[in-house]
């Protein structure tokens, strides 16, 4: 019983490292709890990768997650899901290749999320904190329905079937279009439900009008999670140049980047009202998804010009080539950070 209690009190911490520094953590045969890699090699069991081209000068990077009870970490599989857990926290990965599976994207998304929820039940980590979704050709037509809308159809159906919060209370998430590879889902779960945060400048994604598809996107704009040791994590979903529910600044990557930063600031301000932890834009560890690689320097110039080139967000940003969930969006930013404090009920 003592061991179980210690496991359940596990603390979570994340750091952004270069690929060599990340791999060096496992040279003694004891890998960290888990990591999410950007441009990292396939086949590193504890570091599922995002299959997108890295546009950053620093090359491949990883967000490495640490737990305070590494002796309890174990790996496993549930259906098509691979996962690592210490009994309190779980990081999982799912990859499904449409060409191999011979199923449509809605069916694959439904199947993937069904096994995701089975994983949480089997591992005893009931609450999703954060999800990363990557699907090939996100804006392409999928037989009369855009592929992103097909994905939303299968995802929400799985949430509803599992009795999970598909609207208020949905986890933070992003969904990006990769140019090759499989439908890839990465997910972080824990013992306590996170506190959802919405952006007052935007309509909640799960309340979008039906013009955006038969099923709305299933995510909150951000989520706050108690990660132990007196710290609160802020997970910010993919954020873009949307005001209300409409895209603004069509065709202007500079203004879209500025609008995205305004939305990030609004989410942070809303999060800061939910507890004593205080977050700031400059301190975020972000991933910047750029539709056109030639726009990377323009996007970087806005971020550095707004925050200063020495701000942690500017220095640590990972830039990836990816299509955004709407064909008229040119840039999207998702992020995480942590600060000392407590959540308000």
């Amino acid at each position: 019983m003592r061991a179980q209690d210690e496991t359940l009190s596990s603390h979570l911490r994340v750091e952004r490292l270069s690929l060599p520094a990340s791999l060096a953590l496992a040279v003694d045969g004891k890998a960290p709890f888990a990591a999410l890699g950007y441009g990292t090699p396939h086949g590193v069991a504890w570091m599922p990768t995002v299959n997108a081209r890295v546009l950053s000068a620093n090359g491949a990077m990883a967000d490495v997650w640490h737990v305070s009870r590494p002796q309890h970490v174990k790996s496993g599989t549930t259906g098509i899901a691979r996962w690592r857990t210490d009994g309190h926290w779980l990081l999982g990965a799912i990859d499904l290749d449409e060409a191999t599976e011979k199923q449509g994207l809605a069916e694959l998304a439904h199947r993937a999320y069904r096994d995701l929820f089975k994983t949480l039940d089997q591992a005893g980590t009931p609450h999703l904190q954060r999800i990363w979704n990557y699907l090939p050709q996100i804006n392409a037509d999928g037989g009369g329905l855009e592929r992103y809308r097909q994905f939303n159809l299968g995802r929400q159906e799985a949430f509803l079937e599992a009795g999970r919060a598909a609207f208020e209370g949905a986890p933070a998430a992003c969904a990006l279009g990769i140019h090759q590879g499989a439908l890839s889902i990465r997910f972080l779960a824990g013992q306590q439900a996170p506190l959802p945060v919405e952006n007052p400048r935007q309509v909640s994604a799960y309340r979008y009008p039906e013009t955006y598809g038969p099923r709305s996107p299933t995510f909150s704009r951000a989520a706050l999670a108690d990660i132990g040791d007196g710290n609160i994590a802020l997970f910010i979903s993919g954020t873009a140049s949307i005001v209300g529910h409409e895209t603004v600044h069509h065709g202007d990557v500079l203004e879209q980047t500025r609008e995205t930063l305004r939305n990030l600031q609004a989410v942070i301000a809303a999060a800061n009202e939910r507890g004593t932890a205080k977050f700031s834009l400059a301190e975020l560890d972000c991933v910047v998804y750029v539709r056109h690689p030639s726009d990377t320097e323009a996007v970087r110039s806005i971020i550095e010009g707004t925050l200063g080139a020495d701000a942690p967000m500017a220095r640590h940003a990972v830039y990836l080539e990816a299509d955004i969930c709407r064909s008229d969006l040119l840039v999207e930013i998702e992020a995480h950070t942590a600060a000392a404090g407590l959540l308000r009920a």
Side-chain angles (χ1 to χ4, degrees):
M1 188 67 182
R2 179 179 173 81
Q4 183 182 13
D5 291 342
E6 288 178 352
T7 303
L8 295 179
S9 65
S10 179
H11 306 151
L12 186 69
R13 178 176 63 87
V14 61
E15 60 177 341
R16 181 160 291 174
L17 299 173
S18 68
L19 175 59
S22 301
L23 295 177
L25 296 174
V27 292
D28 62 354
K30 295 182 180 179
F33 167 54
L36 183 61
Y38 310 105
T40 55
H42 295 275
V44 181
W46 56 274
M47 187 191 294
T49 189
V50 175
N51 194 9
R53 177 185 168 197
V54 178
L55 304 174
S56 319
N58 292 334
M61 303 288 287
D63 285 326
V64 180
W65 299 82
H66 304 275
V67 291
S68 58
R69 306 296 186 197
Q71 67 272 23
H72 292 289
V73 173
K74 63 180 181 178
S75 301
T77 59
T78 302
I80 55 176
R82 314 179 307 278
W83 47 263
R84 285 170 66 81
T85 183
D86 71 341
H88 188 120
W89 303 102
L90 178 144
L91 189 74
I94 293 172
D95 294 282
L96 277 173
D97 190 328
E98 291 172 73
T100 302
E101 301 296 329
K102 309 297 184 184
Q103 287 183 299
L105 186 57
E107 291 80 9
L108 285 182
H110 180 266
R111 178 181 166 195
Y113 270 87
R114 186 180 61 215
D115 278 9
L116 185 158
F117 292 128
K118 287 180 181 177
T119 296
L120 305 191
D121 292 340
Q122 178 180 319
T125 51
H127 298 291
L128 281 168
Q129 313 290 315
R130 179 74 169 88
I131 312 175
W132 300 261
N133 302 283
Y134 301 95
L135 48 148
Q137 309 303 320
I138 193 171
N139 304 129
D141 177 72
L145 186 66
E146 184 191 44
R147 284 171 57 78
Y148 178 55
R149 298 181 182 192
Q150 287 186 323
F151 171 78
N152 285 333
L153 191 64
R155 171 171 60 172
Q156 189 179 105
E157 188 65 26
F159 265 80
L160 295 174
E161 284 183 3
R164 299 276 175 164
F167 303 99
E168 288 87 355
C174 60
L176 284 302
I178 51 178
H179 291 185
Q180 67 288 311
L183 167 65
S184 299
I185 300 172
R186 315 296 185 229
F187 54 101
L188 177 70
Q191 290 292 333
Q192 296 181 331
L195 185 66
V197 177
E198 290 301 308
N199 181 350
R201 304 181 76 237
Q202 296 177 321
V203 173
S204 296
Y206 47 76
R207 297 299 184 201
Y208 277 173
E210 291 183 0
T211 52
Y212 293 99
R215 292 290 179 91
S216 58
T218 304
F219 68 93
S220 296
R221 297 296 181 187
L224 290 161
D226 186 337
I227 56 173
D229 202 26
N231 292 311
I232 303 299
L234 172 62
F235 301 116
I236 301 181
S237 301
T239 303
S241 182
I242 296 171
V243 176
H245 60 77
E246 297 179 336
T247 300
V248 294
H249 312 300
H250 291 257
D252 189 335
V253 71
L254 297 176
E255 284 304 316
Q256 285 201 13
T257 305
R258 292 188 182 99
E259 197 68 63
T260 300
L261 293 177
R262 285 191 281 270
N263 277 326
L264 288 171
Q265 187 61 68
V267 169
I268 290 169
N272 284 342
E273 295 177 358
R274 305 302 298 272
T276 61
K278 300 304 174 189
F279 307 100
S280 71
L281 184 64
E283 296 293 327
L284 297 180
D285 273 335
C286 70
V287 179
V288 183
Y289 300 97
V290 183
R291 181 180 292 274
H292 304 299
S294 58
D295 286 338
T296 304
E297 290 308 313
V299 173
R300 190 196 315 276
S301 71
I302 297 300
I303 292 174
E304 292 185 353
T306 301
L307 302 174
D310 290 332
M313 178 173 170
R315 288 189 289 110
H316 300 157
V318 172
Y319 291 79
L320 298 179
E321 179 183 9
D323 293 331
I324 320 304
C325 63
R326 298 184 186 181
S327 58
D328 52 12
L329 289 171
L330 303 174
V331 62
E332 177 172 312
I333 301 175
E334 52 108 337
H336 61 264
T337 189
L342 298 172
L343 293 177
R344 295 193 183 100

